[in-house]
mmCIF file of all heavy atoms in Angstrom:
data_model
loop_
_atom_site.group_PDB
_atom_site.id
_atom_site.type_symbol
_atom_site.label_atom_id
_atom_site.label_comp_id
_atom_site.label_asym_id
_atom_site.label_seq_id
_atom_site.Cartn_x
_atom_site.Cartn_y
_atom_site.Cartn_z
ATOM 1 N N PHE R 138 -33.380 -8.510 -43.404
ATOM 2 C CA PHE R 138 -32.555 -7.493 -42.741
ATOM 3 C C PHE R 138 -31.689 -8.133 -41.655
ATOM 4 O O PHE R 138 -30.522 -7.778 -41.475
ATOM 5 C CB PHE R 138 -33.451 -6.406 -42.146
ATOM 6 C CG PHE R 138 -32.697 -5.272 -41.531
ATOM 7 C CD1 PHE R 138 -32.128 -4.296 -42.332
ATOM 8 C CD2 PHE R 138 -32.538 -5.182 -40.162
ATOM 9 C CE1 PHE R 138 -31.425 -3.254 -41.776
ATOM 10 C CE2 PHE R 138 -31.837 -4.148 -39.591
ATOM 11 C CZ PHE R 138 -31.280 -3.175 -40.409
ATOM 12 N N VAL R 139 -32.288 -9.097 -40.973
ATOM 13 C CA VAL R 139 -31.561 -9.786 -39.906
ATOM 14 C C VAL R 139 -30.389 -10.576 -40.480
ATOM 15 O O VAL R 139 -29.278 -10.569 -39.923
ATOM 16 C CB VAL R 139 -32.527 -10.704 -39.135
ATOM 17 C CG1 VAL R 139 -31.774 -11.567 -38.158
ATOM 18 C CG2 VAL R 139 -33.581 -9.886 -38.426
ATOM 19 N N LEU R 140 -30.622 -11.220 -41.637
ATOM 20 C CA LEU R 140 -29.537 -11.959 -42.281
ATOM 21 C C LEU R 140 -28.418 -10.999 -42.676
ATOM 22 O O LEU R 140 -27.227 -11.293 -42.481
ATOM 23 C CB LEU R 140 -30.056 -12.698 -43.516
ATOM 24 C CG LEU R 140 -29.009 -13.487 -44.287
ATOM 25 C CD1 LEU R 140 -28.412 -14.570 -43.418
ATOM 26 C CD2 LEU R 140 -29.593 -14.106 -45.543
ATOM 27 N N ALA R 141 -28.811 -9.834 -43.207
ATOM 28 C CA ALA R 141 -27.791 -8.848 -43.587
ATOM 29 C C ALA R 141 -26.964 -8.447 -42.371
ATOM 30 O O ALA R 141 -25.737 -8.347 -42.439
ATOM 31 C CB ALA R 141 -28.456 -7.626 -44.210
ATOM 32 N N MET R 142 -27.646 -8.258 -41.235
ATOM 33 C CA MET R 142 -26.921 -7.941 -39.993
ATOM 34 C C MET R 142 -25.921 -9.031 -39.662
ATOM 35 O O MET R 142 -24.761 -8.763 -39.332
ATOM 36 C CB MET R 142 -27.907 -7.840 -38.818
ATOM 37 C CG MET R 142 -28.539 -6.504 -38.613
ATOM 38 S SD MET R 142 -29.830 -6.655 -37.361
ATOM 39 C CE MET R 142 -28.869 -7.008 -35.896
ATOM 40 N N GLY R 143 -26.383 -10.273 -39.751
ATOM 41 C CA GLY R 143 -25.523 -11.398 -39.416
ATOM 42 C C GLY R 143 -24.320 -11.485 -40.339
ATOM 43 O O GLY R 143 -23.199 -11.725 -39.897
ATOM 44 N N ILE R 144 -24.560 -11.245 -41.647
ATOM 45 C CA ILE R 144 -23.464 -11.328 -42.608
ATOM 46 C C ILE R 144 -22.428 -10.236 -42.334
ATOM 47 O O ILE R 144 -21.222 -10.498 -42.307
ATOM 48 C CB ILE R 144 -24.000 -11.208 -44.051
ATOM 49 C CG1 ILE R 144 -24.864 -12.420 -44.391
ATOM 50 C CG2 ILE R 144 -22.859 -11.094 -45.049
ATOM 51 C CD1 ILE R 144 -25.561 -12.313 -45.720
ATOM 52 N N VAL R 145 -22.909 -9.018 -42.110
ATOM 53 C CA VAL R 145 -21.962 -7.929 -41.858
ATOM 54 C C VAL R 145 -21.197 -8.187 -40.560
ATOM 55 O O VAL R 145 -19.983 -7.960 -40.480
ATOM 56 C CB VAL R 145 -22.685 -6.569 -41.812
ATOM 57 C CG1 VAL R 145 -21.715 -5.467 -41.480
ATOM 58 C CG2 VAL R 145 -23.344 -6.283 -43.139
ATOM 59 N N ALA R 146 -21.902 -8.709 -39.557
ATOM 60 C CA ALA R 146 -21.221 -9.002 -38.299
ATOM 61 C C ALA R 146 -20.146 -10.064 -38.496
ATOM 62 O O ALA R 146 -19.076 -9.991 -37.897
ATOM 63 C CB ALA R 146 -22.235 -9.457 -37.249
ATOM 64 N N ALA R 147 -20.431 -11.041 -39.374
ATOM 65 C CA ALA R 147 -19.483 -12.131 -39.563
ATOM 66 C C ALA R 147 -18.319 -11.708 -40.457
ATOM 67 O O ALA R 147 -17.169 -12.045 -40.184
ATOM 68 C CB ALA R 147 -20.191 -13.337 -40.164
ATOM 69 N N ASN R 150 -17.007 -5.250 -40.272
ATOM 70 C CA ASN R 150 -17.827 -4.057 -40.311
ATOM 71 C C ASN R 150 -17.280 -3.024 -41.302
ATOM 72 O O ASN R 150 -16.688 -2.031 -40.900
ATOM 73 C CB ASN R 150 -17.856 -3.500 -38.892
ATOM 74 C CG ASN R 150 -18.964 -2.535 -38.698
ATOM 75 O OD1 ASN R 150 -19.599 -2.131 -39.666
ATOM 76 N ND2 ASN R 150 -19.207 -2.152 -37.466
ATOM 77 N N LEU R 228 -28.848 -0.426 -41.812
ATOM 78 C CA LEU R 228 -27.653 -1.049 -41.237
ATOM 79 C C LEU R 228 -26.743 0.001 -40.612
ATOM 80 O O LEU R 228 -26.212 -0.192 -39.512
ATOM 81 C CB LEU R 228 -26.897 -1.832 -42.308
ATOM 82 C CG LEU R 228 -27.522 -3.156 -42.741
ATOM 83 C CD1 LEU R 228 -26.743 -3.764 -43.892
ATOM 84 C CD2 LEU R 228 -27.570 -4.129 -41.578
ATOM 85 N N PHE R 230 -27.655 2.829 -39.530
ATOM 86 C CA PHE R 230 -28.361 3.408 -38.385
ATOM 87 C C PHE R 230 -28.040 2.629 -37.108
ATOM 88 O O PHE R 230 -27.891 3.224 -36.033
ATOM 89 C CB PHE R 230 -29.871 3.393 -38.634
ATOM 90 C CG PHE R 230 -30.691 3.939 -37.494
ATOM 91 C CD1 PHE R 230 -30.795 5.298 -37.286
ATOM 92 C CD2 PHE R 230 -31.349 3.087 -36.624
ATOM 93 C CE1 PHE R 230 -31.535 5.802 -36.233
ATOM 94 C CE2 PHE R 230 -32.092 3.583 -35.563
ATOM 95 C CZ PHE R 230 -32.178 4.948 -35.383
ATOM 96 N N ILE R 231 -27.938 1.312 -37.209
ATOM 97 C CA ILE R 231 -27.605 0.545 -36.004
ATOM 98 C C ILE R 231 -26.097 0.423 -35.820
ATOM 99 O O ILE R 231 -25.631 -0.335 -34.976
ATOM 100 C CB ILE R 231 -28.259 -0.857 -35.992
ATOM 101 C CG1 ILE R 231 -27.836 -1.658 -37.226
ATOM 102 C CG2 ILE R 231 -29.752 -0.751 -35.924
ATOM 103 C CD1 ILE R 231 -28.294 -3.086 -37.157
ATOM 104 N N GLY R 232 -25.323 1.163 -36.617
ATOM 105 C CA GLY R 232 -23.894 1.235 -36.347
ATOM 106 C C GLY R 232 -23.047 0.274 -37.151
ATOM 107 O O GLY R 232 -21.917 -0.011 -36.770
ATOM 108 N N LEU R 233 -23.595 -0.244 -38.282
ATOM 109 C CA LEU R 233 -22.813 -1.154 -39.102
ATOM 110 C C LEU R 233 -22.350 -0.445 -40.367
ATOM 111 O O LEU R 233 -23.068 0.375 -40.927
ATOM 112 C CB LEU R 233 -23.641 -2.377 -39.490
ATOM 113 C CG LEU R 233 -23.893 -3.389 -38.388
ATOM 114 C CD1 LEU R 233 -24.799 -4.491 -38.876
ATOM 115 C CD2 LEU R 233 -22.590 -3.981 -37.899
ATOM 116 N N SER F 106 -22.855 -15.346 -24.027
ATOM 117 C CA SER F 106 -22.743 -13.937 -24.379
ATOM 118 C C SER F 106 -21.617 -13.307 -23.573
ATOM 119 O O SER F 106 -21.509 -13.523 -22.366
ATOM 120 C CB SER F 106 -24.057 -13.223 -24.078
ATOM 121 O OG SER F 106 -23.836 -11.848 -24.013
ATOM 122 N N SER F 108 -21.016 -9.974 -23.297
ATOM 123 C CA SER F 108 -21.387 -8.734 -22.597
ATOM 124 C C SER F 108 -22.234 -9.006 -21.366
ATOM 125 O O SER F 108 -22.056 -8.356 -20.340
ATOM 126 C CB SER F 108 -22.105 -7.788 -23.561
ATOM 127 O OG SER F 108 -23.065 -8.486 -24.302
ATOM 128 N N SER F 109 -23.161 -9.965 -21.439
ATOM 129 C CA SER F 109 -24.012 -10.197 -20.270
ATOM 130 C C SER F 109 -23.473 -11.331 -19.407
ATOM 131 O O SER F 109 -23.897 -11.484 -18.269
ATOM 132 C CB SER F 109 -25.446 -10.505 -20.709
ATOM 133 O OG SER F 109 -25.510 -11.801 -21.257
ATOM 134 N N VAL F 113 -26.540 -17.291 -24.270
ATOM 135 C CA VAL F 113 -27.301 -16.506 -25.229
ATOM 136 C C VAL F 113 -28.763 -16.925 -25.247
ATOM 137 O O VAL F 113 -29.670 -16.095 -25.307
ATOM 138 C CB VAL F 113 -26.690 -16.642 -26.637
ATOM 139 C CG1 VAL F 113 -27.571 -15.993 -27.678
ATOM 140 C CG2 VAL F 113 -25.310 -16.021 -26.666
ATOM 141 N N ASP F 116 -30.668 -15.297 -22.459
ATOM 142 C CA ASP F 116 -30.875 -13.878 -22.760
ATOM 143 C C ASP F 116 -32.009 -13.696 -23.758
ATOM 144 O O ASP F 116 -32.913 -12.880 -23.560
ATOM 145 C CB ASP F 116 -29.592 -13.279 -23.358
ATOM 146 C CG ASP F 116 -28.629 -12.855 -22.279
ATOM 147 O OD1 ASP F 116 -29.054 -12.811 -21.108
ATOM 148 O OD2 ASP F 116 -27.468 -12.579 -22.606
ATOM 149 N N LEU F 117 -31.946 -14.483 -24.847
ATOM 150 C CA LEU F 117 -32.951 -14.336 -25.897
ATOM 151 C C LEU F 117 -34.332 -14.676 -25.356
ATOM 152 O O LEU F 117 -35.299 -13.955 -25.595
ATOM 153 C CB LEU F 117 -32.616 -15.248 -27.081
ATOM 154 C CG LEU F 117 -31.443 -14.805 -27.951
ATOM 155 C CD1 LEU F 117 -31.197 -15.824 -29.041
ATOM 156 C CD2 LEU F 117 -31.716 -13.446 -28.568
ATOM 157 N N ALA F 118 -34.412 -15.770 -24.591
ATOM 158 C CA ALA F 118 -35.712 -16.190 -24.074
ATOM 159 C C ALA F 118 -36.307 -15.130 -23.159
ATOM 160 O O ALA F 118 -37.510 -14.885 -23.171
ATOM 161 C CB ALA F 118 -35.571 -17.516 -23.332
ATOM 162 N N ARG F 120 -35.860 -11.938 -23.325
ATOM 163 C CA ARG F 120 -36.210 -10.694 -24.013
ATOM 164 C C ARG F 120 -37.189 -10.899 -25.154
ATOM 165 O O ARG F 120 -37.720 -9.921 -25.689
ATOM 166 C CB ARG F 120 -34.938 -10.029 -24.546
ATOM 167 C CG ARG F 120 -33.947 -9.760 -23.449
ATOM 168 C CD ARG F 120 -32.776 -8.994 -23.963
ATOM 169 N NE ARG F 120 -33.100 -7.592 -24.123
ATOM 170 C CZ ARG F 120 -32.198 -6.625 -24.029
ATOM 171 N NH1 ARG F 120 -30.956 -6.883 -23.794
ATOM 172 N NH2 ARG F 120 -32.552 -5.381 -24.196
ATOM 173 N N LEU F 121 -37.419 -12.160 -25.527
ATOM 174 C CA LEU F 121 -38.312 -12.425 -26.648
ATOM 175 C C LEU F 121 -39.734 -11.892 -26.439
ATOM 176 O O LEU F 121 -40.307 -11.301 -27.355
ATOM 177 C CB LEU F 121 -38.338 -13.925 -26.954
ATOM 178 C CG LEU F 121 -39.103 -14.335 -28.218
ATOM 179 C CD1 LEU F 121 -38.468 -13.720 -29.445
ATOM 180 C CD2 LEU F 121 -39.149 -15.844 -28.363
ATOM 181 N N SER F 124 -40.268 -8.333 -27.603
ATOM 182 C CA SER F 124 -40.323 -8.174 -29.056
ATOM 183 C C SER F 124 -41.636 -8.683 -29.617
ATOM 184 O O SER F 124 -42.239 -8.053 -30.486
ATOM 185 C CB SER F 124 -39.178 -8.932 -29.717
ATOM 186 O OG SER F 124 -37.963 -8.384 -29.339
ATOM 187 N N LEU F 299 -39.829 -8.417 -38.620
ATOM 188 C CA LEU F 299 -38.768 -8.899 -37.731
ATOM 189 C C LEU F 299 -37.496 -8.077 -37.940
ATOM 190 O O LEU F 299 -36.759 -7.794 -36.994
ATOM 191 C CB LEU F 299 -38.495 -10.374 -37.977
ATOM 192 C CG LEU F 299 -39.577 -11.330 -37.504
ATOM 193 C CD1 LEU F 299 -39.204 -12.763 -37.820
ATOM 194 C CD2 LEU F 299 -39.823 -11.178 -36.018
ATOM 195 N N GLY F 300 -37.235 -7.690 -39.214
ATOM 196 C CA GLY F 300 -36.078 -6.844 -39.476
ATOM 197 C C GLY F 300 -36.280 -5.442 -38.949
ATOM 198 O O GLY F 300 -35.411 -4.873 -38.276
ATOM 199 N N ASN F 302 -38.178 -4.502 -36.657
ATOM 200 C CA ASN F 302 -38.193 -4.562 -35.203
ATOM 201 C C ASN F 302 -36.876 -4.086 -34.597
ATOM 202 O O ASN F 302 -36.850 -3.349 -33.618
ATOM 203 C CB ASN F 302 -38.379 -6.021 -34.821
ATOM 204 C CG ASN F 302 -39.367 -6.157 -33.717
ATOM 205 O OD1 ASN F 302 -39.672 -5.175 -33.054
ATOM 206 N ND2 ASN F 302 -39.862 -7.335 -33.511
ATOM 207 N N VAL F 303 -35.775 -4.545 -35.208
ATOM 208 C CA VAL F 303 -34.450 -4.197 -34.717
ATOM 209 C C VAL F 303 -34.308 -2.678 -34.659
ATOM 210 O O VAL F 303 -33.840 -2.113 -33.658
ATOM 211 C CB VAL F 303 -33.373 -4.799 -35.642
ATOM 212 C CG1 VAL F 303 -32.001 -4.401 -35.176
ATOM 213 C CG2 VAL F 303 -33.520 -6.292 -35.708
ATOM 214 N N LEU F 304 -34.718 -2.021 -35.751
ATOM 215 C CA LEU F 304 -34.570 -0.570 -35.825
ATOM 216 C C LEU F 304 -35.497 0.136 -34.839
ATOM 217 O O LEU F 304 -35.096 1.058 -34.133
ATOM 218 C CB LEU F 304 -34.857 -0.101 -37.247
ATOM 219 C CG LEU F 304 -33.936 -0.700 -38.305
ATOM 220 C CD1 LEU F 304 -34.433 -0.379 -39.692
ATOM 221 C CD2 LEU F 304 -32.529 -0.173 -38.113
ATOM 222 N N GLU F 306 -36.819 -1.030 -32.113
ATOM 223 C CA GLU F 306 -36.396 -1.264 -30.734
ATOM 224 C C GLU F 306 -35.228 -0.363 -30.374
ATOM 225 O O GLU F 306 -35.117 0.112 -29.250
ATOM 226 C CB GLU F 306 -36.022 -2.730 -30.542
ATOM 227 C CG GLU F 306 -37.236 -3.620 -30.433
ATOM 228 C CD GLU F 306 -36.889 -5.081 -30.209
ATOM 229 O OE1 GLU F 306 -35.720 -5.359 -29.917
ATOM 230 O OE2 GLU F 306 -37.785 -5.915 -30.321
ATOM 231 N N LYS F 307 -34.354 -0.106 -31.348
ATOM 232 C CA LYS F 307 -33.231 0.780 -31.052
ATOM 233 C C LYS F 307 -33.731 2.205 -30.816
ATOM 234 O O LYS F 307 -33.305 2.872 -29.878
ATOM 235 C CB LYS F 307 -32.224 0.767 -32.204
ATOM 236 C CG LYS F 307 -31.174 1.852 -32.073
ATOM 237 C CD LYS F 307 -29.843 1.386 -32.591
ATOM 238 C CE LYS F 307 -28.675 2.195 -32.192
ATOM 239 N NZ LYS F 307 -28.538 3.561 -32.367
ATOM 240 N N TRP F 311 -36.382 -0.167 -26.660
ATOM 241 C CA TRP F 311 -37.275 -1.269 -26.282
ATOM 242 C C TRP F 311 -36.423 -2.484 -25.934
ATOM 243 O O TRP F 311 -35.619 -2.912 -26.749
ATOM 244 C CB TRP F 311 -38.189 -1.579 -27.477
ATOM 245 C CG TRP F 311 -39.379 -2.414 -27.137
ATOM 246 C CD1 TRP F 311 -39.508 -3.734 -27.367
ATOM 247 C CD2 TRP F 311 -40.587 -1.969 -26.545
ATOM 248 N NE1 TRP F 311 -40.741 -4.160 -26.940
ATOM 249 C CE2 TRP F 311 -41.417 -3.097 -26.433
ATOM 250 C CE3 TRP F 311 -41.054 -0.743 -26.075
ATOM 251 C CZ2 TRP F 311 -42.694 -3.028 -25.879
ATOM 252 C CZ3 TRP F 311 -42.301 -0.672 -25.535
ATOM 253 C CH2 TRP F 311 -43.111 -1.800 -25.434
ATOM 254 N N PRO F 312 -36.575 -3.056 -24.764
ATOM 255 C CA PRO F 312 -35.647 -4.129 -24.355
ATOM 256 C C PRO F 312 -35.993 -5.487 -24.955
ATOM 257 O O PRO F 312 -36.156 -6.473 -24.239
ATOM 258 C CB PRO F 312 -35.795 -4.144 -22.833
ATOM 259 C CG PRO F 312 -37.178 -3.662 -22.596
ATOM 260 C CD PRO F 312 -37.526 -2.709 -23.697
ATOM 261 N N GLY F 313 -36.118 -5.567 -26.265
ATOM 262 C CA GLY F 313 -36.419 -6.836 -26.919
ATOM 263 C C GLY F 313 -35.163 -7.472 -27.468
ATOM 264 O O GLY F 313 -34.048 -7.011 -27.189
ATOM 265 N N ILE F 314 -35.326 -8.527 -28.288
ATOM 266 C CA ILE F 314 -34.146 -9.210 -28.793
ATOM 267 C C ILE F 314 -33.460 -8.397 -29.887
ATOM 268 O O ILE F 314 -32.275 -8.564 -30.130
ATOM 269 C CB ILE F 314 -34.466 -10.637 -29.287
ATOM 270 C CG1 ILE F 314 -35.589 -10.616 -30.303
ATOM 271 C CG2 ILE F 314 -34.813 -11.540 -28.155
ATOM 272 C CD1 ILE F 314 -35.848 -11.986 -30.882
ATOM 273 N N GLY F 315 -34.196 -7.515 -30.544
ATOM 274 C CA GLY F 315 -33.581 -6.685 -31.577
ATOM 275 C C GLY F 315 -32.540 -5.754 -30.990
ATOM 276 O O GLY F 315 -31.399 -5.672 -31.468
ATOM 277 N N SER F 316 -32.916 -5.062 -29.928
ATOM 278 C CA SER F 316 -31.948 -4.140 -29.328
ATOM 279 C C SER F 316 -30.833 -4.920 -28.631
ATOM 280 O O SER F 316 -29.706 -4.444 -28.536
ATOM 281 C CB SER F 316 -32.638 -3.188 -28.350
ATOM 282 O OG SER F 316 -33.316 -3.897 -27.363
ATOM 283 N N TYR F 317 -31.148 -6.138 -28.198
ATOM 284 C CA TYR F 317 -30.109 -7.014 -27.648
ATOM 285 C C TYR F 317 -29.045 -7.269 -28.711
ATOM 286 O O TYR F 317 -27.830 -7.158 -28.443
ATOM 287 C CB TYR F 317 -30.756 -8.329 -27.207
ATOM 288 C CG TYR F 317 -29.799 -9.401 -26.746
ATOM 289 C CD1 TYR F 317 -29.078 -9.247 -25.579
ATOM 290 C CD2 TYR F 317 -29.641 -10.566 -27.484
ATOM 291 C CE1 TYR F 317 -28.210 -10.238 -25.149
ATOM 292 C CE2 TYR F 317 -28.778 -11.561 -27.065
ATOM 293 C CZ TYR F 317 -28.065 -11.379 -25.903
ATOM 294 O OH TYR F 317 -27.212 -12.362 -25.487
ATOM 295 N N ALA F 318 -29.520 -7.571 -29.933
ATOM 296 C CA ALA F 318 -28.580 -7.844 -31.019
ATOM 297 C C ALA F 318 -27.769 -6.597 -31.368
ATOM 298 O O ALA F 318 -26.570 -6.684 -31.630
ATOM 299 C CB ALA F 318 -29.337 -8.336 -32.253
ATOM 300 N N VAL F 319 -28.413 -5.431 -31.354
ATOM 301 C CA VAL F 319 -27.693 -4.202 -31.679
ATOM 302 C C VAL F 319 -26.618 -3.921 -30.632
ATOM 303 O O VAL F 319 -25.471 -3.604 -30.961
ATOM 304 C CB VAL F 319 -28.669 -3.015 -31.793
ATOM 305 C CG1 VAL F 319 -27.912 -1.715 -31.955
ATOM 306 C CG2 VAL F 319 -29.600 -3.207 -32.976
ATOM 307 N N GLU F 320 -26.999 -4.085 -29.358
ATOM 308 C CA GLU F 320 -26.001 -3.886 -28.297
ATOM 309 C C GLU F 320 -24.841 -4.863 -28.455
ATOM 310 O O GLU F 320 -23.673 -4.505 -28.272
ATOM 311 C CB GLU F 320 -26.639 -4.089 -26.918
ATOM 312 C CG GLU F 320 -27.535 -2.941 -26.484
ATOM 313 C CD GLU F 320 -28.540 -3.379 -25.427
ATOM 314 O OE1 GLU F 320 -28.296 -4.389 -24.736
ATOM 315 O OE2 GLU F 320 -29.582 -2.697 -25.304
ATOM 316 N N ALA F 321 -25.187 -6.103 -28.821
ATOM 317 C CA ALA F 321 -24.147 -7.111 -28.992
ATOM 318 C C ALA F 321 -23.233 -6.755 -30.166
ATOM 319 O O ALA F 321 -22.018 -6.947 -30.088
ATOM 320 C CB ALA F 321 -24.786 -8.483 -29.218
ATOM 321 N N LEU F 322 -23.842 -6.204 -31.229
ATOM 322 C CA LEU F 322 -23.042 -5.809 -32.390
ATOM 323 C C LEU F 322 -22.030 -4.746 -32.008
ATOM 324 O O LEU F 322 -20.882 -4.778 -32.440
ATOM 325 C CB LEU F 322 -23.954 -5.233 -33.480
ATOM 326 C CG LEU F 322 -24.534 -6.201 -34.489
ATOM 327 C CD1 LEU F 322 -25.446 -5.467 -35.438
ATOM 328 C CD2 LEU F 322 -23.413 -6.867 -35.261
ATOM 329 N N VAL F 323 -22.468 -3.799 -31.190
ATOM 330 C CA VAL F 323 -21.607 -2.678 -30.829
ATOM 331 C C VAL F 323 -20.358 -3.165 -30.098
ATOM 332 O O VAL F 323 -19.252 -2.680 -30.337
ATOM 333 C CB VAL F 323 -22.391 -1.658 -29.973
ATOM 334 C CG1 VAL F 323 -21.470 -0.595 -29.416
ATOM 335 C CG2 VAL F 323 -23.489 -1.015 -30.794
ATOM 336 N N VAL F 324 -20.529 -4.160 -29.220
ATOM 337 C CA VAL F 324 -19.370 -4.656 -28.476
ATOM 338 C C VAL F 324 -18.784 -5.916 -29.102
ATOM 339 O O VAL F 324 -18.029 -6.640 -28.451
ATOM 340 C CB VAL F 324 -19.728 -4.913 -26.999
ATOM 341 C CG1 VAL F 324 -20.106 -3.634 -26.316
ATOM 342 C CG2 VAL F 324 -20.853 -5.926 -26.872
ATOM 343 N N SER F 325 -19.158 -6.203 -30.359
ATOM 344 C CA SER F 325 -18.655 -7.383 -31.080
ATOM 345 C C SER F 325 -18.884 -8.677 -30.312
ATOM 346 O O SER F 325 -18.001 -9.516 -30.222
ATOM 347 C CB SER F 325 -17.168 -7.238 -31.398
ATOM 348 O OG SER F 325 -16.921 -6.024 -32.008
ATOM 349 N N ASP F 326 -20.065 -8.820 -29.766
ATOM 350 C CA ASP F 326 -20.414 -10.041 -29.054
ATOM 351 C C ASP F 326 -21.048 -10.993 -30.062
ATOM 352 O O ASP F 326 -22.258 -11.068 -30.215
ATOM 353 C CB ASP F 326 -21.397 -9.683 -27.929
ATOM 354 C CG ASP F 326 -21.695 -10.863 -27.051
ATOM 355 O OD1 ASP F 326 -21.228 -11.964 -27.359
ATOM 356 O OD2 ASP F 326 -22.399 -10.675 -26.043
ATOM 357 N N TYR F 327 -20.163 -11.735 -30.797
ATOM 358 C CA TYR F 327 -20.655 -12.462 -31.968
ATOM 359 C C TYR F 327 -21.597 -13.595 -31.639
ATOM 360 O O TYR F 327 -22.559 -13.831 -32.359
ATOM 361 C CB TYR F 327 -19.481 -12.977 -32.798
ATOM 362 C CG TYR F 327 -18.711 -11.860 -33.405
ATOM 363 C CD1 TYR F 327 -17.446 -11.515 -32.963
ATOM 364 C CD2 TYR F 327 -19.281 -11.102 -34.419
ATOM 365 C CE1 TYR F 327 -16.765 -10.462 -33.508
ATOM 366 C CE2 TYR F 327 -18.606 -10.045 -34.983
ATOM 367 C CZ TYR F 327 -17.338 -9.728 -34.523
ATOM 368 O OH TYR F 327 -16.681 -8.684 -35.065
ATOM 369 N N ALA F 328 -21.334 -14.307 -30.563
ATOM 370 C CA ALA F 328 -22.206 -15.437 -30.211
ATOM 371 C C ALA F 328 -23.637 -14.941 -30.047
ATOM 372 O O ALA F 328 -24.590 -15.579 -30.513
ATOM 373 C CB ALA F 328 -21.717 -16.098 -28.937
ATOM 374 N N ALA F 329 -23.800 -13.780 -29.430
ATOM 375 C CA ALA F 329 -25.132 -13.234 -29.210
ATOM 376 C C ALA F 329 -25.779 -12.857 -30.543
ATOM 377 O O ALA F 329 -26.956 -13.142 -30.767
ATOM 378 C CB ALA F 329 -25.050 -12.014 -28.292
ATOM 379 N N VAL F 330 -24.998 -12.235 -31.440
ATOM 380 C CA VAL F 330 -25.564 -11.824 -32.732
ATOM 381 C C VAL F 330 -26.006 -13.046 -33.527
ATOM 382 O O VAL F 330 -27.115 -13.097 -34.065
ATOM 383 C CB VAL F 330 -24.543 -11.000 -33.538
ATOM 384 C CG1 VAL F 330 -25.115 -10.660 -34.901
ATOM 385 C CG2 VAL F 330 -24.167 -9.742 -32.800
ATOM 386 N N GLN F 331 -25.122 -14.057 -33.584
ATOM 387 C CA GLN F 331 -25.465 -15.225 -34.394
ATOM 388 C C GLN F 331 -26.628 -15.997 -33.774
ATOM 389 O O GLN F 331 -27.474 -16.532 -34.485
ATOM 390 C CB GLN F 331 -24.252 -16.146 -34.564
ATOM 391 C CG GLN F 331 -23.004 -15.472 -35.082
ATOM 392 C CD GLN F 331 -23.200 -14.738 -36.392
ATOM 393 O OE1 GLN F 331 -24.293 -14.746 -36.945
ATOM 394 N NE2 GLN F 331 -22.172 -14.091 -36.877
ATOM 395 N N GLY F 332 -26.669 -16.038 -32.450
ATOM 396 C CA GLY F 332 -27.805 -16.672 -31.791
ATOM 397 C C GLY F 332 -29.097 -15.960 -32.152
ATOM 398 O O GLY F 332 -30.120 -16.591 -32.441
ATOM 399 N N PHE F 333 -29.016 -14.654 -32.201
ATOM 400 C CA PHE F 333 -30.184 -13.847 -32.564
ATOM 401 C C PHE F 333 -30.616 -14.148 -33.995
ATOM 402 O O PHE F 333 -31.799 -14.368 -34.270
ATOM 403 C CB PHE F 333 -29.827 -12.372 -32.404
ATOM 404 C CG PHE F 333 -30.760 -11.432 -33.102
ATOM 405 C CD1 PHE F 333 -32.009 -11.166 -32.575
ATOM 406 C CD2 PHE F 333 -30.380 -10.799 -34.270
ATOM 407 C CE1 PHE F 333 -32.864 -10.295 -33.215
ATOM 408 C CE2 PHE F 333 -31.227 -9.931 -34.911
ATOM 409 C CZ PHE F 333 -32.481 -9.679 -34.386
ATOM 410 N N VAL F 334 -29.639 -14.176 -34.920
ATOM 411 C CA VAL F 334 -29.976 -14.442 -36.326
ATOM 412 C C VAL F 334 -30.625 -15.811 -36.464
ATOM 413 O O VAL F 334 -31.661 -15.966 -37.125
ATOM 414 C CB VAL F 334 -28.710 -14.346 -37.210
ATOM 415 C CG1 VAL F 334 -29.020 -14.780 -38.629
ATOM 416 C CG2 VAL F 334 -28.160 -12.940 -37.207
ATOM 417 N N LEU F 335 -30.047 -16.794 -35.800
ATOM 418 C CA LEU F 335 -30.594 -18.150 -35.883
ATOM 419 C C LEU F 335 -32.000 -18.203 -35.293
ATOM 420 O O LEU F 335 -32.924 -18.777 -35.881
ATOM 421 C CB LEU F 335 -29.675 -19.121 -35.154
ATOM 422 C CG LEU F 335 -30.123 -20.570 -35.186
ATOM 423 C CD1 LEU F 335 -30.072 -21.099 -36.597
ATOM 424 C CD2 LEU F 335 -29.278 -21.432 -34.272
ATOM 425 N N ALA F 336 -32.179 -17.577 -34.127
ATOM 426 C CA ALA F 336 -33.489 -17.604 -33.478
ATOM 427 C C ALA F 336 -34.537 -16.947 -34.371
ATOM 428 O O ALA F 336 -35.649 -17.461 -34.529
ATOM 429 C CB ALA F 336 -33.417 -16.890 -32.130
ATOM 430 N N MET F 337 -34.177 -15.824 -34.983
ATOM 431 C CA MET F 337 -35.101 -15.122 -35.873
ATOM 432 C C MET F 337 -35.487 -16.015 -37.052
ATOM 433 O O MET F 337 -36.649 -16.079 -37.434
ATOM 434 C CB MET F 337 -34.418 -13.867 -36.407
ATOM 435 C CG MET F 337 -34.425 -12.730 -35.440
ATOM 436 S SD MET F 337 -36.031 -11.963 -35.545
ATOM 437 C CE MET F 337 -36.215 -11.319 -33.967
#
Side-chain angles (χ1 to χ4, degrees):
Chain R
F138 184 78
V139 172
L140 179 62
M142 273 172 67
I144 294 173
V145 177
N150 197 350
L228 286 175
F230 179 77
I231 58 172
L233 286 176
Chain F
S106 162
S108 46
S109 73
V113 172
D116 276 348
L117 287 178
R120 303 186 78 152
L121 187 62
S124 296
L299 289 179
N302 224 344
V303 178
L304 300 170
E306 283 181 12
K307 169 145 196 306
W311 195 258
I314 54 175
S316 57
Y317 174 68
V319 173
E320 286 158 23
L322 271 177
V323 171
V324 296
S325 309
D326 186 355
Y327 293 109
V330 176
Q331 307 305 359
F333 163 76
V334 173
L335 181 66
M337 280 280 152

